[in-house]
Amino acid sequence: MNRLKNMSTLVLLLTVILLAGVNSDYFVTPEADLHSTYLPQDGEWTNLIQGDLSENWVQRGGEAKYRIQGNQIVGTTVPDTPNSFLCTKMEYGDFVLELEVKVDPELNSGIQIRSQSKASYNNGRVHGYQVEIDPSERAWSGGIYDEARRGWLDDLEGQPEARKAFKNGEWNKYKIRAHGDTLKTWVNGVPVAHLVDSMDASGFIGLQVHSTDHEEPLQVRWRNIRVKLLE
């Protein structure tokens, strides 16, 4: 009887190990709820706006307000609080991410990819690659910034056509491709950033509401957020 029980336990452990190795492009973060409602598969688009926010996302950083409104995630500023991030509970390695964003012209924002939050780094401060959402006159939307770490990695200096791609006051479509050490971005179909960098191979996706001292609430909206894993 004990031998049968031990054999059953061994088979179960081997099954878990084999399943864990099926897809290494995503995994659940240590803080995540294991009952997250989406588990993306290679080559298939997965909608990242599903169910209640708390099922699939976790907020880190500041105290901006996030909510689902229809088919959108809406982020609203809270004055005098640090940068806020709504982060996926899943982590992603090689993928294509597509989404649409609309932001108040007075508010900066960004899309974190392959990002991290570790107790050992600035008490868990969110850091990592950020694809810029920049409605200011600088117009560096689609550039790649290293949030809370190295700063600008691929800006839009000397790229006049790319700087024209983002349309203030309108919905803007972003496409982000992360494969190996290469990150590429497009804004409204216009190629923007092309970065080769190997610091982070995987991490979470995050939606930023930038810090502000503006007393009136400002908003950034995201819709049609979908991700496809690359083999």
Side-chain angles (χ1 to χ4, degrees), residues 1 4 6 9 12 25 28 32 48 51 58 79 88 99 120 141-143 155 161 163 165 172 181 186 192 195 204 230:
M1 186 68 178
L4 289 175
N6 290 337
T9 301
L12 178 60
D25 283 337
V28 181
L48 297 189
V58 59
T88 58
L99 57 81
S120 59
S141 291
D155 60 36
E161 293 305 313
R163 293 176 66 190
N172 291 274
D181 62 0
W186 293 258
V192 180
L195 175 69
F204 55 73
L230 299 176

Side-chain angles (χ1 to χ4, degrees), residues 10 46 96 104 141 144 170 184 194 206 224 230:
L10 179 59
T46 300
V96 176
D104 263 302
S141 291
I144 299 177
E170 301 179 18
K184 295 183 179 181
H194 183 165
N224 298 327
L230 299 176

Side-chain angles (χ1 to χ4, degrees), residues 38 45-50 56 71 223-227:
Y38 56 82
W45 287 106
T46 300
N47 175 19
L48 297 189
I49 304 180
Q50 297 185 35
N56 302 312
N71 66 340
R223 70 183 184 187
N224 298 327
I225 309 173
R226 63 179 192 164
V227 66

Side-chain angles (χ1 to χ4, degrees), residues 44-216:
E44 297 180 2
W45 287 106
T46 300
N47 175 19
L48 297 189
I49 304 180
Q50 297 185 35
D52 186 83
L53 278 182
S54 62
E55 294 180 36
N56 302 312
W57 302 79
V58 59
Q59 184 168 344
R60 295 185 169 97
E63 298 177 2
K65 306 300 182 184
Y66 292 90
R67 72 182 191 280
I68 290 182
Q69 185 178 63
N71 66 340
Q72 303 173 22
I73 292 178
V74 182
T76 304
T77 59
V78 171
D80 302 318
T81 189
N83 291 347
S84 303
F85 302 89
L86 186 67
C87 308
T88 58
K89 291 182 177 179
M90 295 291 176
E91 296 197 350
Y92 301 85
D94 293 341
F95 62 87
V96 176
L97 173 68
E98 293 185 352
L99 57 81
E100 293 176 82
V101 61
K102 186 177 182 180
V103 62
D104 263 302
E106 297 176 277
L107 181 63
N108 181 278
S109 184
I111 305 155
Q112 297 293 137
I113 60 169
R114 291 183 174 179
S115 292
Q116 316 291 324
S117 175
K118 302 175 181 177
S120 59
Y121 186 88
N122 288 353
N123 296 316
R125 182 175 177 181
V126 169
H127 59 283
Y129 303 120
Q130 180 186 120
V131 179
E132 183 78 0
I133 300 170
D134 180 13
S136 74
E137 291 184 3
R138 183 183 63 176
W140 282 2
S141 291
I144 299 177
Y145 182 81
D146 193 356
E147 172 74 15
R149 197 163 49 182
R150 295 173 292 171
W152 280 103
L153 302 176
D154 193 341
D155 60 36
L156 274 63
E157 195 72 49
Q159 299 188 58
E161 293 305 313
R163 293 176 66 190
K164 296 175 184 176
F166 187 89
K167 306 300 181 184
N168 273 341
E170 301 179 18
W171 285 101
N172 291 274
K173 184 173 182 178
Y174 276 62
K175 178 180 177 180
I176 302 165
R177 188 178 191 272
H179 189 254
D181 62 0
T182 303
L183 307 178
K184 295 183 179 181
T185 71
W186 293 258
V187 176
N188 294 324
V190 177
V192 180
H194 183 165
L195 175 69
V196 177
D197 188 84
S198 59
M199 179 161 280
D200 294 310
S202 65
F204 55 73
I205 294 167
L207 308 177
Q208 184 199 53
V209 175
H210 202 281
S211 62
T212 180
D213 57 4
H214 202 284
E215 291 299 326
E216 293 297 320

